[in-house]
């Protein structure tokens, strides 16, 4: 096995003391970035770039990569414990993670999320090791018309992810799309809905809205029942870890999430966030207990947390084998690489094999390290719940706002975090679940750009979309699912009517 | 009382914000410094982390502290095609502690409509660091081996050839339109979010041509996935990877469109500060380690001092004003801004 040999060489590079140390430092910082709500991976790496100037290039790269994949491990912690997502990719984990915590199963949720992250991270890495160049080539076949089709189908399928009311979810998704149109339009170069405010030109960062709606929003919600004592059942040590039943229910979602995340990670866009939503949707659809979703279904934690981790490994594929970053976090990684004199691209594997394989091997090691770090921490984190909320929540607010500021170094963004916080609070009060808004916000721009760029490429003829094999396949799959939903809805409706008729007579 | 504590919390947050806002507004106070610099210097990059201009800034940051006597700290203030960051620097006290990375956008942006400041006159150039000759590249399995092949093809198939660039009104877009006009062909433009996105669409065969800076093309060129047909500069590049790319002029088209990056300060810098600063930056640029780092990035150092930079700003300004009008880019953007 050629690859195995190369990987072993890589291991020998990555266990050199300096490299191993930077791997440990990287994953520790990454975990911290993930756990602290509001602190975004991109700004964390940007802040740390100057400190790496004196480091050896291999060690520096290993550290940056460690921060990147490490951050997705910790993201679920505050989602489960406080209903405040640590990262945009863990928004969906709140839906079932937090109810689990309320039932005294926080430890189990954290453990499943850590183990799921490990399994999926490893699936992603195996894909990265074995299939990087061909997969990167395959990803290139996706052009604007294909992204349009994917986002369209995604929006339709995902917008009714949560809650009971289709109308409310759809409304949230539409508001998300509307918010995504604010800013400089990439096609025409004009500012839309900015009212002449320059700062609005860049649009709203996903993190700003997610931290507002979910972070500050939840803090405000907590304030309104601050008098109530935290009603957390006392947790015994053996209750910290998942039961056999929880295990059995989680194992398939982990693998399914791992594969979905990997595929989504190959495509441009905020893959970790998108993949977590897709995985949640899938698990809800395939679960034997769909009624439990939203009330603490373990699958709703295992799947998404697995998905966002394997997505991370997959986003490294276009970066390492083509030198093309497909999302913000890999763009900053590329910068980190370039500053250290390394240009990722097709020639990296042949020109600097020790570096390439050393990095990959360090990611395997880092994943194990993350599991070792995270499992014992569960006990510590669960203790956090005993802290009275009136001490804990202001602290979370400070961290969230600091993180929000660091994204663009902008005071202006802070106003919006608070605005969205109040909005999130009011939405919760009115019985709206804001997570479809995030889906609209993420997929809206992909949809619009896919359509406009695609139309130029197809000479303005939208029917060409259907003649492109990939786009046509995706669109028809979406169509079939919608048709299926419609038919099941109609049969249900019909049955109910018959039942009513029977009752009446 | 839940509602009361809610209101209290919100008002606390707002007052923190207001206080924070106040501190950053104490502008335009020029201290009588004798020993410049006696604290770290902020270099504002008006674009996000990870772009070409950011890399130049960070390469300067890496070598700066030994030559300037104080560390240089890069702060990214992205948004509005650079205008947010440049507005901040143009409005900052001219004491030499707030600098900006500049690019050709400081000249282009005011041409498309009113900006808060007219950057070429509100900023004072300290140095030009690098000049980027944009490269016109096509997928390697396309039948075109020279500019002439492509022009002939485009003449026979009008509207079929599409070019990608990383942003409307940017220099890459301007070069594309200038070329199309000079060659008298019809090229459709497709705007992308970044050079990487344009490149991946070229590699996937969704578009036919890209105009990108050398660093964005280098790896694909080395691996033979794309071929370069022309160079937007006046002279060929010296890097062996790019050395055999002929310029547009060599191929009979009068197209020259270069991008550049430099450092500027707010207008009105005290003479001694400006002198110290420009000498310090010059030393950074002369540092062999800095030159090696720039070479690694695929960037050619083209140093210009403060006066030469100012001249360049003027000539570029005149030239681009004409170009964006002739190609219809300015009109198109202005029309939509209404």
């Amino acid at each position: 096995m050629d690859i195995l040999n190369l990987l072993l060489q890589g291991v020998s590079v990555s266990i050199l003391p300096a490299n191993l140390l930077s791997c440990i430092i990287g994953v520790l910082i990454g975990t911290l970035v993930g756990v602290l709500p509001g602190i975004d991976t991109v700004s964390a790496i940007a802040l740390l770039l100057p400190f790496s100037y004196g480091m050896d290039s291999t060690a520096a790269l290993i550290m940056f990569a460690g921060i990147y994949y490490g951050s997705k491990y910790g993201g679920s912690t505050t989602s489960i414990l406080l209903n405040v997502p640590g990262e945009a990719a863990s928004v969906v984990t709140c839906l079932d993670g937090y109810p689990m915590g309320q039932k005294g199963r926080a430890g189990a949720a954290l453990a499943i999320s850590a183990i799921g992250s490990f399994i999926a991270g490893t699936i992603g890495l195996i894909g990265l090791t074995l299939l990087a160049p061909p997969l990167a080539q395959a990803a290139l076949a996706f052009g604007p018309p294909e992204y349009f089709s994917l986002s369209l189908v995604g929006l339709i399928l995902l917008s009714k992810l949560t809650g009971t009311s289709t109308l409310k979810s759809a409304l949230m998704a539409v508001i998300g799309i509307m918010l995504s149109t604010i800013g400089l339009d990439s096609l025409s170069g004009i500012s839309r809905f900015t009212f002449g405010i320059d700062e609005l030109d860049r649009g709203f960062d996903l993190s700003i809205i997610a931290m507002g709606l979910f972070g500050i929003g939840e803090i405000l919600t907590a304030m309104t029942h601050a008098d109530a004592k935290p009603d957390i059942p006392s947790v015994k040590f053996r209750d910290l870890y998942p039961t056999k039943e929880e295990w059995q229910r989680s194992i398939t979602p982990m693998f399914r999430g791992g594969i979905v995340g990997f595929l989504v990670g190959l495509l441009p866009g905020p893959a970790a966030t998108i993949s977590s939503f897709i995985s949640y949707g899938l698990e809800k659809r395939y679960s034997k207990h769909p009624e439990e979703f939203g009330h603490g279904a373990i699958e709703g934690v295992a799947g998404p947390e697995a998905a966002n981790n394997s997505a991370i490994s997959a986003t490294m594929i276009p970066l390492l084998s083509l030198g093309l970053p497909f999302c913000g976090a890999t763009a900053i990684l590329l910068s980190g690489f370039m500053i250290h004199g390394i240009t990722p691209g097709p020639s990296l594997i042949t020109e600097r094999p020790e570096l390439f394989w050393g990095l990959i091997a360090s990611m395997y090691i880092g994943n194990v390290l993350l599991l070792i770090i995270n499992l014992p921490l569960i006990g510590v984190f669960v203790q956090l719940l005993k802290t009275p909320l009136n001490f804990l929540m202001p602290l979370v607010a400070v961290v969230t706002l600091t993180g929000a500021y660091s994204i663009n170094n902008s005071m202006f963004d802070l106003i919006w975090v608070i605005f969205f916080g109040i909005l999130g609070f009011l939405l919760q009060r009115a019985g709206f679940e804001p997570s479809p808004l995030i889906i609209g916000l993420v997929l809206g721009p992909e949809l619009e750009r896919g359509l406009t760029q695609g139309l130029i490429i197809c000479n303005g003829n939208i029917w060409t979309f259907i003649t492109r094999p990939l786009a046509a396949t995706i669109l028809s799959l979406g169509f079939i699912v919608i048709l299926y939903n419609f038919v099941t809805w109609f049969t249900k409706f019909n049955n109910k009517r018959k039942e009513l008729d029977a009752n009446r007579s | 009382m839940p509602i009361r504590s809610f209101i209290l919390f919100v008002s606390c947050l707002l007052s923190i914000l207001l206080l924070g806002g106040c501190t950053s507004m104490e502008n335009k106070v020029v201290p009588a410094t004798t020993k410049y610099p006696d604290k770290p210097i902020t270099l504002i990059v008006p674009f996000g982390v990870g772009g070409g201009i950011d890399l130049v800034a960070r390469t300067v940051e890496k070598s700066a502290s030994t030559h300037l006597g104080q560390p240089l700290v890069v702060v990214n203030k992205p948004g509005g095609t650079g205008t947010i960051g440049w507005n901040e620097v143009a409005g900052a006290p001219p004491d030499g502690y707030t600098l900006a990375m500049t690019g050709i956008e400081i000249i282009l942006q005011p041409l498309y409509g009113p900006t808060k400041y007219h950057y070429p006159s509100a900023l004072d150039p300290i140095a030009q660091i690098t000049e980027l000759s944009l490269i016109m590249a096509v997928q390697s399995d396309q039948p075109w081996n020279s500019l002439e092949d492509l022009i002939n093809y485009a003449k026979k198939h009008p509207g079929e050839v599409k070019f990608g660039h990383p942003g409307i009104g940017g220099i890459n877009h301007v070069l594309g339109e200038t070329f199309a006009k000079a060659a008298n062909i019809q090229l459709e433009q497709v705007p992308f979010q970044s050079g990487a996105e344009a490149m991946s669409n070229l590699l996937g065969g969704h578009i036919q041509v890209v105009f990108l800076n050398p660093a964005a093309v280098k790896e694909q060129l080395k691996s033979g996935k794309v071929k370069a047909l022309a160079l937007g500069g006046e002279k060929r590049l010296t890097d062996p990877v790019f050395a055999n790319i002929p310029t547009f002029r060599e191929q009979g088209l009068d197209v020259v469109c270069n991008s550049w990056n430099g450092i500027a300060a707010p207008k009105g810098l005290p003479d001694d500060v400006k002198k110290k600063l420009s000498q310090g930056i010059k030393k950074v640029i002369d540092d062999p380690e800095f030159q090696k780092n720039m070479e690694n990035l695929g960037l050619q150092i083209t140093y210009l001092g403060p006066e030469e930079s100012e001249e360049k700003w003027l000539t570029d300004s005149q030239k681009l004003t004409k170009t964006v009008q002739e190609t219809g880019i300015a009109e198109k953007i202005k029309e939509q801004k209404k």
Side-chain angles (χ1 to χ4, degrees):
Chain A
M1 278 293 280
D2 209 21
I3 286 186
L4 208 60
N5 259 333
L6 289 164
L7 196 60
L8 280 176
Q9 270 177 25
V11 173
S12 68
V13 174
S14 60
I15 55 170
L16 293 174
N19 294 345
L20 195 60
L21 186 69
S22 44
C23 183
I24 295 173
I25 295 174
V27 297
L28 276 177
I29 297 174
T31 308
L32 202 65
V33 169
V35 170
L36 295 176
I39 312 272
D40 172 88
T41 322
V42 178
S43 42
I45 298 179
L47 274 174
L48 288 169
L49 266 182
F51 295 100
S52 76
Y53 291 164
M55 285 169 78
D56 165 61
S57 55
T58 313
L61 299 198
I62 287 175
M63 185 179 85
F64 291 140
I67 299 175
Y68 178 41
Y69 57 77
S71 65
K72 295 293 171 288
Y73 259 80
S76 60
T77 310
T78 46
S79 296
I80 293 165
L81 297 176
L82 302 170
N83 210 14
V84 173
E87 295 274 310
S90 291
V91 162
V92 80
T93 312
C94 291
L95 296 175
D96 279 284
Y98 184 63
M100 277 188 77
Q102 295 290 295
K103 284 194 252 168
R105 301 302 301 155
L110 288 170
I112 287 292
S113 128
I115 294 164
S117 295
F118 171 73
I119 291 179
T122 312
I123 294 177
L125 275 174
I126 293 172
L128 170 60
T129 317
L130 299 177
L131 300 166
L135 280 180
Q137 280 305 320
L140 291 176
F142 282 73
E146 284 74 26
Y147 296 138
F148 166 76
S149 318
L150 275 177
S151 328
L152 183 69
V153 173
L155 260 177
I156 293 169
L157 296 185
L158 292 179
S159 53
K160 196 200 167 324
L161 203 58
T162 55
T164 43
S165 161
T166 313
L167 192 65
K168 281 182 175 175
S169 308
L171 191 63
M172 286 291 104
V174 169
I175 291 177
I177 299 175
M178 285 161 82
L179 285 172
S180 78
T181 59
I182 294 174
L184 206 65
D185 171 33
S186 64
L187 188 78
S188 60
I190 49 166
S191 308
R192 297 187 295 187
F193 311 112
T194 59
F195 302 100
I197 304 168
D198 281 348
E199 277 92 343
L200 276 179
D201 265 359
R202 65 174 163 249
F204 289 118
D205 261 282
L206 172 61
S207 299
I208 298 289
I209 295 190
M211 286 312 132
L213 283 179
F214 295 91
I216 303 293
E218 179 59 28
I219 294 166
L220 294 177
T221 309
M223 301 283 312
T224 56
H225 46 78
D227 303 339
K229 288 214 175 72
D231 184 27
I232 305 298
S234 65
V235 184
K236 289 194 200 90
F237 182 75
R238 71 184 155 78
D239 287 345
L240 274 181
Y241 293 97
T243 60
K244 206 177 160 201
E245 195 218 338
E246 283 168 332
W247 253 113
Q248 282 168 346
R249 283 177 59 178
S250 309
I251 198 86
T252 339
M254 282 179 191
F255 280 94
R256 200 153 37 205
I259 292 165
V260 168
F262 186 75
L263 295 176
V264 176
L266 291 170
L267 304 172
T273 310
I274 296 179
S275 70
S276 65
F277 276 105
I278 294 181
S279 165
Y280 188 85
L282 270 181
E283 292 319 321
K284 197 175 176 184
R285 195 165 286 259
Y286 285 115
S287 170
K288 290 190 191 98
H289 323 269
E291 73 288 348
E292 276 181 38
F293 274 75
H295 307 285
I298 187 94
E299 296 93 333
V301 175
E305 280 303 315
N308 64 31
N309 274 276
S310 64
I312 292 298
S313 310
T315 54
M316 298 292 278
I317 290 178
L319 177 69
L320 290 177
S321 54
L322 296 174
L324 300 173
F326 278 3
C327 65
T330 45
I332 175 84
L333 274 185
L334 177 68
S335 272
F337 285 26
M338 304 264 287
I339 283 167
H340 284 276
I342 286 141
T343 322
S347 52
L348 185 67
I349 305 184
T350 44
E351 278 177 13
R352 302 288 300 272
E354 81 298 342
L355 186 128
F356 180 85
W357 292 105
L359 183 64
I360 304 251
S362 86
M363 290 176 74
Y364 281 98
I365 295 172
N367 253 305
V368 178
L369 284 174
L370 279 164
L371 192 66
I372 298 172
I373 295 167
N374 274 275
L375 284 181
L377 274 179
I378 291 170
V380 181
F381 282 137
V382 172
Q383 294 303 314
L384 255 184
L385 287 180
K386 289 191 181 149
T387 320
L389 285 181
N390 47 354
F391 293 118
L392 196 58
M393 283 308 190
L395 207 65
V396 177
V398 170
V399 175
T400 308
L401 290 176
T402 313
Y405 175 76
S406 70
I407 294 172
N408 288 319
N409 296 313
S410 160
M411 271 290 171
F412 186 76
D413 282 352
L414 287 192
I415 297 171
W416 287 106
V417 171
I418 292 172
F419 170 81
F420 283 111
I422 296 170
L423 183 71
F425 168 77
L426 296 175
L427 286 176
Q428 288 279 4
R429 274 283 159 110
F432 285 90
E433 166 56 52
S435 47
L437 193 152
I438 299 290
I439 297 172
L441 191 70
V442 169
L443 291 180
E446 307 280 330
L447 184 80
E448 191 196 351
R449 276 204 302 275
L451 181 65
T452 48
Q453 292 170 349
L455 278 175
I456 302 176
I457 287 170
C458 299
N459 297 319
N461 183 358
I462 198 162
W463 298 111
T464 320
F465 279 38
I466 311 176
T467 59
R468 288 171 68 109
L470 265 172
T473 317
I474 300 162
L475 284 174
S476 44
L477 276 178
F479 184 71
I480 291 168
V481 174
I482 294 164
L483 206 67
Y484 171 80
N485 277 357
F486 186 72
V487 170
T488 44
W489 174 79
F490 191 75
T491 20
K492 252 188 214 161
F493 179 75
N494 221 12
N495 287 346
K496 210 166 201 173
R497 207 172 57 183
K498 272 182 196 155
E499 222 172 83
L500 284 175
D501 283 348
N503 283 348
R504 209 178 290 153
S505 59
Chain B
M1 278 301 285
I3 299 296
R4 196 181 297 163
S5 52
F6 170 75
I7 292 169
L8 192 71
F9 181 74
V10 173
S11 49
C12 279
L13 283 178
L14 288 178
S15 56
I16 291 171
L17 274 179
L18 285 176
L19 279 175
C22 290
T23 50
S24 64
M25 275 169 198
E26 43 166 288
N27 270 343
K28 292 286 178 193
V29 188
V30 186
T33 42
T34 41
K35 276 186 214 149
Y36 172 85
D38 58 2
K39 61 177 185 189
I41 300 166
T42 307
L43 177 61
I44 290 183
V45 176
F47 293 90
V49 188
I53 188 170
D54 180 56
L55 281 171
V56 178
R58 286 174 192 278
T59 316
V60 175
E61 183 186 32
K62 210 172 160 181
S63 313
S65 55
T66 44
H67 300 292
L68 286 176
Q70 283 286 343
L72 194 79
V73 184
V74 170
V75 178
N76 297 81
K77 299 253 177 181
T81 330
T83 50
I84 290 170
W86 287 317
N87 285 347
E88 185 161 330
V89 178
D95 54 7
Y97 291 106
T98 314
L99 305 178
M101 279 305 289
T102 51
I104 195 134
E105 291 83 2
I106 62 160
I107 292 167
L108 283 170
Q109 278 307 313
L111 298 181
Y112 299 138
T115 44
K116 194 174 169 192
Y117 296 91
H118 181 252
Y119 305 113
S121 42
L123 296 174
D124 204 357
I126 301 296
Q128 173 182 294
I129 301 169
T130 176
E131 202 165 305
L132 300 151
S133 299
L134 298 179
I135 290 173
M136 172 177 168
V138 299
Q139 232 186 332
S140 49
D141 45 12
Q142 296 284 13
W144 318 307
N145 286 315
S146 67
L147 209 52
E148 208 187 334
D149 294 349
L150 178 84
I151 295 172
N152 287 338
Y153 181 87
K155 277 195 175 142
K156 276 183 209 136
H157 307 82
E160 214 174 277
V161 180
K162 288 159 186 97
F163 76 93
H165 58 79
I168 201 125
I171 192 70
N172 311 52
H173 179 204
V174 172
L175 173 61
E177 299 283 1
T178 316
F179 161 67
K181 189 164 179 294
N184 198 18
I185 52 173
Q186 193 193 345
L187 287 186
E188 294 283 336
Q189 56 106 8
V190 191
F192 290 97
Q193 297 278 295
S194 64
E197 205 194 329
M199 181 51 91
S200 71
N201 274 281
L202 180 80
L203 293 176
H206 308 294
I207 51 173
Q208 288 73 42
V209 182
V210 289
F211 295 90
L212 291 173
N213 64 38
V217 184
K218 193 172 184 180
E219 278 302 304
Q220 317 301 336
L221 204 58
K222 262 163 74 184
S223 67
K225 288 199 164 107
V226 304
K227 48 192 177 189
L229 297 187
L231 185 76
E234 281 171 19
K235 283 182 290 199
R236 289 197 183 198
L237 295 175
T238 49
D239 188 317
V241 182
F242 306 119
N244 56 359
I245 308 173
T247 62
F248 281 105
R249 279 217 177 133
E250 283 175 53
Q251 305 183 68
L253 285 178
D254 187 29
V255 177
V256 177
C257 217
N258 270 354
S259 177
W260 44 261
N261 290 135
I263 291 180
K267 200 88 180 178
L269 222 52
D271 282 345
D272 57 325
V273 172
K274 189 174 171 185
K275 203 173 153 202
K276 255 189 177 163
L277 195 59
S278 56
Q279 280 169 352
I281 298 287
K282 176 87 179 52
K283 272 188 216 153
V284 174
I285 292 170
D286 288 338
D287 186 332
E289 203 198 309
F290 175 81
Q291 298 189 336
K292 204 184 125 239
N293 290 335
M294 289 289 281
E295 196 184 319
N296 274 334
L297 294 176
L299 294 170
Q300 214 160 5
I301 292 176
T302 323
Y303 174 79
L304 293 181
E307 290 83 26
E308 299 155 289
S309 300
E310 202 152 3
E311 254 168 57
K312 171 112 181 240
W313 284 15
L314 207 67
T315 48
D316 268 7
S317 191
Q318 286 161 350
K319 208 182 108 192
L320 285 170
T321 311
K322 212 170 130 222
T323 312
V324 297
Q325 271 162 5
E326 281 175 0
T327 51
I329 296 177
E331 199 182 326
K332 195 179 153 205
I333 293 180
K334 267 188 189 154
E335 190 179 285
Q336 278 165 322
K337 269 193 175 171
K338 271 177 199 161

